[in-house]
Amino acid sequence: MDTCNKISKFMQKSGHECRVMGVPKTIDNDLYGTDHCPGYASAAKYVATSTMEIYHDARVYDTPMVCVLEVMGRNAGWLTASTALAAYKGAGPDLIYLPEIEFDMDKFIVNCKKIFEKSGKLIVAVSEGIRDKNGKYISEYGSDLASEKDSFGHAQLGGTAQVLADILKKELKCKTRAIEFSLLQRCAAHLASATDVEEAFTAGQKAVQCAVDGTTDHMVAYERSEKDGKYVCNYVLVNLDKVANTEKAVPREWINKEGTGLTQDYINYALPLIEGESKPPMENGLPRFAKLKKVLAKK
Amino acid sequence: MDTCNKISKFMQKSGHECRVMGVPKTIDNDLYGTDHCPGYASAAKYVATSTMEIYHDARVYDTPMVCVLEVMGRNAGWLTASTALAAYKGAGPDLIYLPEIEFDMDKFIVNCKKIFEKSGKLIVAVSEGIRDKNGKYISEYGSDLASEKDSFGHAQLGGTAQVLADILKKELKCKTRAIEFSLLQRCAAHLASATDVEEAFTAGQKAVQCAVDGTTDHMVAYERSEKDGKYVCNYVLVNLDKVANTEKAVPREWINKEGTGLTQDYINYALPLIEGESKPPMENGLPRFAKLKKVLAKK
């Protein structure tokens, strides 16, 4: 949105007529001025569904099971929060840590021990960007652990989830597993939310209509309302100056007091967004993707 | 199947009447005596679909992109082979390495360089269990790299994909990414193959029918045939003695000469198995799982 704004201002300054409309898009869901962002709900649906499946996988065997799930999000925990939807359905993480809250390693270990000792199972979801009170990324703790070796004589290092899984392995004295949703959480089109897909199309359409009608320097934003008790999405315009370079975090009051889970407010916010399956076209049991062809103009 | 066999032999020896029927189940697809195993096709469908999605994600940006995908399979490469279905659809790995073929690091690097220098993009799929000519797991190469440090001063180590991604980072002088399908590939019920689900139900049914009818010491196996040019699955019985402790690898002739991909024989084998979507019941945009209740018997 900052780039949209800069392009528009540059064109005006240099005397070119050019209308610039921003269409939001980010699975991070951290754009200011819009209730939510196109792409977020589909990624959230994927993360929540995969978390539920991992939860059930963990309960197939009658053995201890500790899993740390790593979800994208450097500064905003919206996508990690979506694992709370799995918990709401009774098949989610025991603990959820967002970058909005300072991460306290000692408290984390105490919380994990308590749950693990009770049930022999533990699932934790973390944002890749969680930091301690000094602003140090937990993923950077890996270097402090470099002296730890596994049975192969390997130093055990990696991303945020791997660092925490290694610490829990030592503290809980059991096998632990780190799972990164990695690129999959942002590209799993096969599990897109029908609501998200429809809203995204409409947002693009509105932007083109506005530009054609003479509007410029605005972003198409989503505004949430209700009709007969049901979720409705309205499309409004927000000035690009307002949107550029402002990040929207998960509100503190939507995170529980201990900073280890989400409140019902988040569940109510997210549930209508992930509604419906988009059912992409299939061919031979696999998704069929649209292909844009390069067409050379005739001379 | 070995356990089925042992239980049955023990019961016979100790004079208890007990009929034991084996129902196969493994995403590894490495059971002897059956064309394929329940569970394999669903995991293959997930792996192939996710690979296609990662392929498209890699092409969104006009920057170099190197991805190493790690798929389950210690001794048999069936599941890694399923990434060839994505390649068959024009959106898969450039190179595929199975544990059936000795892994040669020098040739691997030459192959990768050739592809990367041409297109700036490279996707490689590997089985977790690939080994070199001395039988050393590639994942063990990590310890040799312990002296390599990243920008945080971390030693870069991990599983098979991480080891190869670290080597390629150095050789190709670009950012690389390791992606493990981890538990997701064996529990992603939301993307199950309808063909697989139907066959699995039928296999279980046949086993119960056989046991009731007096049969014992057999496994229900799948036999592939054709009707009007279309794939048909028949259910036959195989003696447990024959199945126990025999592993079925991917046939050498289904792997290309260089050991870096699969032939059309594998595609023809796998395509009918992943056909159809099982569409599990949904609730609030998330899958609804069956719950078995403990019912206490009345005294």
Side-chain angles (χ1 to χ4, degrees):
Chain A
M1 291 305 137
D2 185 44
T3 308
C4 286
N5 202 25
K6 278 177 180 158
I7 290 174
S8 180
K9 299 297 176 285
F10 174 81
M11 296 300 258
Q12 283 162 31
K13 211 176 140 186
S14 47
H16 292 87
E17 200 207 334
C18 179
R19 296 166 199 160
V20 181
M21 290 295 301
V23 190
K25 171 235 66 151
T26 169
I27 60 160
D28 290 334
N29 201 41
D30 59 352
L31 270 175
Y32 176 83
T34 184
D35 179 74
H36 56 285
C37 302
Y40 171 64
S42 294
K45 189 183 180 87
Y46 175 83
V47 168
T49 301
S50 298
T51 301
M52 290 178 82
E53 291 170 341
I54 289 169
Y55 174 95
H56 285 294
D57 189 284
R59 266 136 188 100
V60 167
Y61 303 103
D62 203 14
T63 49
M65 168 77 163
V66 176
C67 246
V68 185
L69 314 178
E70 181 172 330
V71 186
M72 281 181 176
R74 291 305 267 181
N75 299 311
W78 290 105
L79 198 50
T80 307
S82 71
T83 61
L85 296 168
Y88 170 70
K89 287 287 179 183
D94 302 287
L95 300 164
I96 302 171
Y97 294 96
L98 311 187
E100 280 82 355
I101 304 284
E102 261 176 37
F103 186 81
D104 182 319
M105 191 66 83
D106 295 330
K107 277 190 193 163
F108 166 74
I109 292 169
V110 170
N111 285 335
C112 287
K113 275 191 176 163
K114 212 185 290 176
I115 293 158
F116 183 70
E117 276 160 19
K118 216 170 169 180
S119 65
K121 309 276 184 197
L122 173 67
I123 300 180
V124 181
V126 298
S127 283
E128 56 177 338
I130 51 170
R131 273 153 291 192
D132 68 13
K133 62 177 177 197
N134 301 315
K136 182 177 173 177
Y137 283 109
I138 302 311
S139 56
E140 292 180 66
Y141 277 56
S143 52
D144 305 341
L145 298 167
S147 55
E148 303 292 328
K149 307 270 178 184
D150 71 3
S151 55
F152 284 125
H154 298 172
Q156 286 293 288
L157 299 168
T160 309
Q162 190 62 57
V163 166
L164 294 176
D166 290 340
I167 289 172
L168 289 179
K169 188 182 171 186
K170 212 177 129 184
E171 294 287 340
L172 306 178
K173 293 174 187 63
C174 78
K175 206 185 135 189
T176 62
R177 199 188 276 269
I179 299 179
E180 275 187 61
F181 288 122
S182 191
L183 292 188
L184 296 164
Q185 64 199 297
R186 78 177 189 202
C187 66
H190 73 268
L191 201 59
S193 146
T195 304
D196 182 33
V197 171
E198 198 195 308
E199 290 178 354
F201 266 101
T202 310
Q205 222 166 29
K206 295 272 171 190
V208 173
Q209 276 168 0
C210 286
V212 169
D213 295 347
T215 309
T216 186
D217 292 78
H218 282 77
M219 177 183 88
V220 176
Y222 293 165
E223 193 181 66
R224 178 185 300 242
S225 70
E226 261 190 30
K227 201 184 169 185
D228 307 328
K230 278 197 154 186
Y231 162 86
V232 174
C233 183
N234 299 323
Y235 303 83
V236 295
L237 298 185
V238 186
N239 197 299
L240 279 179
D241 281 327
K242 277 198 183 170
V243 186
N245 295 320
T246 322
E247 265 180 357
K248 190 179 75 177
V250 178
R252 181 61 188 90
E253 60 271 24
W254 287 10
I255 305 170
N256 69 12
K257 209 180 133 205
E258 306 77 33
T260 58
L262 280 293
T263 67
Q264 187 63 34
D265 285 332
Y266 171 76
I267 304 297
N268 297 343
Y269 166 82
L271 274 182
L273 310 183
I274 63 165
E275 200 56 73
E277 286 65 59
S278 75
K279 298 192 184 69
M282 304 290 282
E283 195 178 71
N284 297 126
L286 293 169
R288 187 161 57 77
F289 291 91
K291 272 183 199 162
L292 299 177
K293 277 190 190 169
K294 264 188 201 167
V295 179
L296 295 175
K298 277 187 189 170
K299 277 195 184 177
Chain B
M1 290 306 137
D2 185 45
T3 309
C4 285
N5 203 24
K6 279 177 178 157
I7 290 174
S8 180
K9 299 299 177 285
F10 174 81
M11 297 300 260
Q12 283 162 31
K13 209 175 142 188
S14 48
H16 292 87
E17 200 206 334
C18 179
R19 296 167 201 161
V20 180
M21 289 294 301
V23 190
K25 172 234 69 149
T26 170
I27 60 161
D28 290 333
N29 203 40
D30 59 352
L31 271 174
Y32 176 83
T34 184
D35 179 75
H36 55 285
C37 302
Y40 171 64
S42 293
K45 189 184 181 87
Y46 176 83
V47 168
T49 301
S50 298
T51 301
M52 291 178 81
E53 291 170 341
I54 289 169
Y55 174 95
H56 285 292
D57 189 283
R59 266 139 188 97
V60 167
Y61 302 102
D62 203 14
T63 50
M65 168 78 164
V66 176
C67 245
V68 185
L69 314 178
E70 180 172 332
V71 186
M72 281 181 175
R74 289 305 267 181
N75 300 310
W78 289 105
L79 197 50
T80 307
S82 71
T83 61
L85 295 168
Y88 170 71
K89 287 287 178 183
D94 303 286
L95 301 164
I96 302 171
Y97 294 95
L98 313 187
E100 280 82 355
I101 306 283
E102 259 177 38
F103 186 81
D104 183 317
M105 189 67 82
D106 296 330
K107 278 190 193 161
F108 166 74
I109 292 170
V110 170
N111 285 336
C112 288
K113 275 190 178 164
K114 211 184 292 174
I115 294 158
F116 182 70
E117 276 160 20
K118 217 170 168 181
S119 65
K121 308 276 183 195
L122 173 66
I123 301 181
V124 182
V126 298
S127 283
E128 56 177 338
I130 50 169
R131 272 152 293 189
D132 68 12
K133 62 176 178 199
N134 302 315
K136 181 177 173 177
Y137 284 108
I138 302 310
S139 56
E140 292 180 66
Y141 276 56
S143 52
D144 306 341
L145 298 167
S147 55
E148 303 292 328
K149 308 269 179 185
D150 71 3
S151 54
F152 284 125
H154 298 172
Q156 286 293 289
L157 298 168
T160 308
Q162 189 63 57
V163 166
L164 294 175
D166 290 341
I167 290 172
L168 290 179
K169 187 182 171 185
K170 211 177 129 186
E171 294 287 340
L172 306 178
K173 294 174 187 64
C174 79
K175 207 186 134 189
T176 62
R177 200 188 276 269
I179 299 179
E180 276 186 60
F181 289 121
S182 191
L183 293 188
L184 295 164
Q185 63 199 297
R186 79 177 189 203
C187 66
H190 73 268
L191 201 59
S193 147
T195 304
D196 182 34
V197 171
E198 198 195 307
E199 290 178 354
F201 267 101
T202 311
Q205 221 166 31
K206 294 273 171 191
V208 173
Q209 276 168 0
C210 286
V212 169
D213 295 347
T215 308
T216 186
D217 291 78
H218 282 77
M219 177 183 87
V220 176
Y222 293 167
E223 194 182 65
R224 178 185 301 242
S225 70
E226 262 190 30
K227 202 182 168 186
D228 307 328
K230 278 197 154 186
Y231 162 87
V232 174
C233 183
N234 299 322
Y235 303 84
V236 296
L237 298 185
V238 185
N239 198 301
L240 280 179
D241 281 327
K242 277 198 182 171
V243 186
N245 295 321
T246 320
E247 265 179 358
K248 191 178 73 175
V250 177
R252 180 60 187 92
E253 60 272 24
W254 287 11
I255 306 170
N256 70 11
K257 211 181 131 204
E258 305 78 33
T260 58
L262 280 293
T263 68
Q264 188 61 35
D265 286 332
Y266 170 76
I267 304 296
N268 297 342
Y269 166 83
L271 273 184
L273 310 183
I274 63 164
E275 200 55 72
E277 287 64 59
S278 76
K279 299 191 184 70
M282 303 291 281
E283 195 178 70
N284 297 126
L286 294 169
R288 188 161 56 77
F289 292 91
K291 272 184 199 162
L292 299 176
K293 277 190 189 170
K294 264 187 202 166
V295 179
L296 295 174
K298 277 187 187 169
K299 278 195 185 178

